[in-house]
Amino acid sequence: MSATPMVQAESVCKNFGALQVLRGISLEVQHGEVACLIGPSGSGKSTFLRCVNHLEKVNAGRLRVDGDLIGYRERGGKLYEMSPRDAARQRRDIGMVFQHFNLFPHRTVLANVIEAPILVKGQSRDEAVAWAVDLLDKVGLANKADAYPAQLSGGQQQRVAIARALAMDPKLMLFDEPTSALDPELVGDVLAVMRDLAQAGMTMLVVTHEMGFAREVADQLVFMADGVVVERGDPREMLENPQHQRTKTFLSKLL
Ligand SMILES: Nc1ncnc2c1ncn2[C@@H]1O[C@H](COP(=O)(O)OP(=O)(O)OP(=O)(O)O)[C@@H](O)[C@H]1O
Ligand SMILES: [Mg+2]
């Protein structure tokens, strides 16, 4: 295991105009760890994930992925913003799965999965197809390669979205409420794929309120409120014995 954390946030701040959304987020996720992020609506969970992926620029603090500063270069103690090209290169190594799957509707499942490896990574079509078939098998959709997204259930579409993110061979996967738009009976299959991924050693930062998943799979539970980390620790311990009143109140509403 590497000593450098996969994700290291130090006092990360983000505001939208006068609205301070992240007010000094500090946390670490080690290589191979799964961290689940919970918190009330509007507490900044999605914003934080988007900062990790540099879809949003932080206003203060430091955000590192595998030791590399996200979005900036540091020279002589000063920060310089990265070129869009370099930022895009950083983003390649970070897979993101959203609540809504954002698959290309007019392309087959296979075409959705092979697009980025071919266009962005320059893989040959044969290579990309072989890898995609493997990934679709892993997410339980080997027989759906030629289907169109509209012909799949929400849970199946979400598993395609996971395969598509994995096709770029990311070192970190971010999930933003990947099951919250799904019918309850479809949630389990998606969580099972995520559990397999965790067991295979993927580092994952997951916004979810599926506490069964957090308890079983996560190494770390992070409770955010009002743009700060209120509490983080072992999920089982935190769920049984939260240290802060805010956490207690939030969890009592959730469970
Ligand atoms: N692009 C934006 N411009 C302005 N305000 C924004 C923008 N994105 C998010 N916000 C605001 O930032 C705050 C945090 O939003 P965020 O989506 O990060 O919360 P969240 O914890 O993910 O909530 P939820 O559980 O509802 O998904 C909210 O008040 C939101 O309105
Ligand atoms: Mg959100």
Side-chain angles (χ1 to χ4, degrees):
M1 187 175 273
S2 165
T4 312
M6 183 60 91
V7 179
Q8 185 178 39
E10 286 175 66
S11 309
V12 167
C13 295
K14 172 71 189 172
N15 45 272
F16 294 108
L19 182 68
Q20 282 197 305
V21 176
L22 303 181
R23 298 185 300 130
I25 296 282
S26 297
L27 60 83
E28 283 180 1
V29 184
Q30 306 302 328
H31 280 241
E33 236 187 17
V34 176
C36 283
L37 197 52
I38 58 173
S41 180
S43 56
K45 304 178 300 292
S46 296
T47 302
F48 179 70
L49 282 197
R50 291 171 60 80
C51 287
V52 174
N53 210 4
H54 200 227
L55 293 170
E56 300 285 356
K57 212 176 354 161
V58 310
N59 298 112
R62 299 270 198 280
L63 194 45
R64 287 189 173 81
V65 171
D66 205 13
D68 293 332
L69 205 55
I70 291 295
Y72 296 88
R73 294 194 188 291
E74 198 164 17
R75 238 177 285 131
K78 274 196 182 152
L79 293 187
Y80 299 90
E81 208 178 323
M82 239 177 217
S83 68
R85 199 167 162 208
D86 288 343
R89 186 167 303 136
Q90 266 186 342
R91 200 174 295 131
R92 274 191 214 173
D93 290 338
I94 306 172
M96 182 143 179
V97 174
F98 302 89
Q99 184 175 9
H100 297 284
F101 339 113
N102 310 318
L103 299 174
F104 300 116
H106 304 300
R107 295 200 190 140
T108 64
V109 163
L110 186 74
N112 266 279
V113 178
I114 64 175
E115 160 139 3
I118 292 175
L119 284 185
V120 182
K121 280 204 149 174
Q123 275 187 3
S124 72
R125 198 188 143 81
D126 287 352
E127 204 182 355
V129 167
W131 178 217
V133 165
D134 212 38
L135 288 171
L136 287 172
D137 189 40
K138 276 207 181 95
V139 301
L141 294 172
N143 58 343
K144 296 290 185 188
D146 298 323
Y148 285 87
Q151 299 170 317
L152 304 181
S153 74
Q156 290 171 332
Q157 291 185 53
Q158 191 59 299
R159 285 184 278 146
V160 174
I162 294 172
R164 187 176 58 173
L166 293 174
M168 288 297 283
D169 198 19
K171 54 185 173 188
L172 168 67
M173 284 284 287
L174 309 175
F175 292 86
D176 194 355
E177 304 208 44
T179 60
S180 62
L182 301 178
D183 290 337
E185 73 270 22
L186 303 178
V187 168
D189 289 340
V190 173
L191 293 179
V193 164
M194 291 170 63
R195 188 178 299 121
D196 288 348
L197 198 54
Q199 269 159 9
M202 179 61 76
T203 311
M204 296 164 50
L205 184 51
V206 186
V207 177
T208 184
H209 293 116
E210 293 290 338
M211 299 319 291
F213 176 85
R215 188 192 296 267
E216 253 184 77
V217 180
D219 301 288
Q220 179 181 179
L221 186 61
V222 181
F223 173 58
M224 261 176 79
D226 297 328
V228 297
V229 172
V230 174
E231 185 167 348
R232 67 183 180 111
D234 177 84
R236 286 151 294 270
E237 277 172 31
M238 223 168 111
L239 290 171
E240 261 142 56
N241 190 19
Q243 299 300 301
H244 291 263
Q245 188 55 45
R246 278 291 318 247
T247 320
K248 271 180 210 165
T249 310
F250 180 78
L251 289 175
S252 69
K253 284 188 207 147
L254 205 63
L255 298 173

